[in-house]
Amino acid sequence: MIDLHTHSIFSDGGLIPTELAQRAYAAGYKALAITDHTDHSNIDFILPRIIKVCLKITERGKILALPGVELTHVDPGDIPLLANDARKLGAKIVLVHGETIVEPVPFGTNLAAINAAVDILAHPGLITEEEAKLAAEKGVYLEITTRRGHAFSNGHVVQMARKFKANLILNNDAHAPADFVSSKMANNIACGAGLTKDEIAAMFENSRRILQKLCV
Ligand SMILES: [Zn+2]
Ligand SMILES: [Zn+2]
């Protein structure tokens, strides 16, 4: 199991990064990305600290920890620059908090994230056909989430991804220990979103593929 979308106390998660990683390890995970909510106020504060602790966690050899960010509720016009800043500061993975149907995320966020070619568009809500097509072209992974609320539109994301051959990735968006779901639950949520057995296998393979790419 791999979760490339988690939160620590550096945003609204409940645990310091080391405990978050230990909880993921105890739940059977091999790797996690720590991707705290980020905007202009905290990007240069959070990233050096997450990078430092991810190195320490990974050195121990039990679980691989990758430093990242989730650009959250920022103006869509600022997404390209902030994504670039995150990479310059050493983020291995850049997520954007997509237009989930349970929050008033600024309109245009999905499109700006895809145009900026971020790694993962998290919980993209009612992503449009145009956006899904562009995500496929740009190689932006669309997230299927196990998180309550955001998961309401998983079925729609699956339909759009299937239609335009966009790649899917399953994440927990873990904020607390109980959020690291079992592989059985991940599988059930994926089935519930309408994915076939082969599509689920391909989605889990995508997590491994991203991880390999990021660890080079
Ligand atoms: Zn989010
Ligand atoms: Zn998140």
Side-chain angles (χ1 to χ4, degrees):
M1 296 289 286
I2 295 167
D3 190 356
L4 296 175
H5 181 174
T6 73
H7 297 278
S8 75
I9 54 157
F10 283 99
S11 57
D12 60 351
L15 305 173
I16 57 171
T18 302
E19 183 174 354
L20 184 69
Q22 177 64 17
R23 295 289 192 149
Y25 170 73
Y29 283 69
K30 302 276 180 255
L32 84 166
I34 303 177
T35 55
D36 277 302
H37 296 293
T38 307
D39 66 6
H40 289 95
S41 69
N42 63 359
I43 190 164
D44 57 347
F45 175 79
I46 286 179
L47 264 171
R49 286 161 178 81
I50 297 291
I51 290 165
K52 187 176 168 186
V53 75
C54 281
L55 277 172
K56 280 283 166 201
I57 292 163
T58 301
E59 264 174 25
R60 278 200 243 127
K62 293 198 299 190
I63 185 165
L64 185 66
L66 292 170
V69 291
E70 181 182 17
L71 302 177
T72 302
H73 284 264
V74 299
D75 187 280
D78 291 334
I79 287 176
L81 207 62
L82 279 169
N84 201 35
D85 284 352
R87 295 203 194 279
K88 277 197 285 189
L89 286 163
K92 289 262 194 192
I93 186 164
V94 176
L95 276 60
V96 166
H97 185 88
E99 294 175 50
T100 171
I101 60 172
V102 294
E103 287 173 24
V105 177
F107 173 76
T109 294
N110 284 353
L111 189 58
I114 295 163
N115 273 325
V118 299
D119 297 296
I120 298 172
L121 177 57
H123 43 71
L126 299 178
I127 185 168
T128 65
E129 294 201 340
E130 180 201 8
E131 289 159 358
K133 188 165 178 275
L134 199 60
E137 286 167 15
K138 297 243 182 201
V140 175
Y141 289 82
L142 302 180
E143 187 184 70
I144 298 302
T145 179
T146 66
R147 191 156 183 80
R148 286 171 189 81
H150 295 333
F152 290 156
S153 53
N154 278 344
H156 173 76
V157 178
V158 165
Q159 283 189 337
M160 290 294 105
R162 187 183 283 141
K163 187 163 180 182
F164 297 101
K165 298 188 168 36
N167 285 317
L168 291 173
I169 190 150
L170 184 133
N171 288 322
N172 294 318
D173 201 348
H175 289 65
D179 296 339
F180 291 108
V181 301
S182 65
S183 61
K184 187 175 177 210
M185 179 56 85
N187 204 68
N188 285 347
I189 289 169
C191 281
L195 287 163
T196 65
K197 210 173 160 189
D198 286 349
E199 287 171 332
I200 293 169
M203 179 169 68
F204 289 135
E205 186 55 37
N206 285 341
S207 296
R208 290 189 280 274
R209 200 192 306 161
I210 293 191
L211 205 58
Q212 273 172 356
K213 190 186 96 181
L214 298 178
C215 292
V216 170

